[in-house]
Amino acid sequence: GVAGAPRYPDRRSIVSEIRRRHRRSAPINAKAVKEKGPLPEHALYVAALNQFGGWDAALRAAGFDPATVTPRKEPRSRRG
């Protein structure tokens, strides 16, 4: 890309990346995407906040139900 250009300049690029991640079986829940790391996930999360006002709205635009992409909490182990 062009140096200095945003990685996700518009809503369409954000939706495309969310769908691409899902096709690759990469997690698309907010916690996984907003983690800062060597991959561009954090940039995607920030772009979604700027363009859609929130991650859930970006997921809906990409055709996903935010409730279905949230990872289930691990059951707590019982003591004794």
Side-chain angles (χ1 to χ4, degrees):
V2 178
R7 187 181 296 273
Y8 306 106
D10 54 33
R11 288 180 170 215
R12 196 171 96 189
S13 63
I14 295 164
V15 165
S16 293
E17 179 60 18
I18 292 171
R19 290 176 178 161
R20 188 180 71 81
R21 286 179 57 82
H22 185 259
R23 282 194 305 272
R24 291 184 2 225
S25 299
I28 58 172
N29 62 293
K31 185 178 189 316
V33 176
K34 71 182 174 183
E35 295 290 322
K36 288 189 178 181
L39 298 175
E41 284 90 356
H42 188 69
L44 176 63
Y45 183 78
V46 171
L49 295 185
N50 292 334
Q51 294 286 335
F52 291 96
W55 185 249
D56 285 358
L59 286 174
R60 286 188 200 100
F64 297 101
D65 177 357
T68 65
V69 301
T70 302
R72 294 182 184 179
K73 293 187 178 185
E74 293 294 320
R76 293 181 182 260
S77 61
R78 295 185 197 172
R79 291 185 181 168

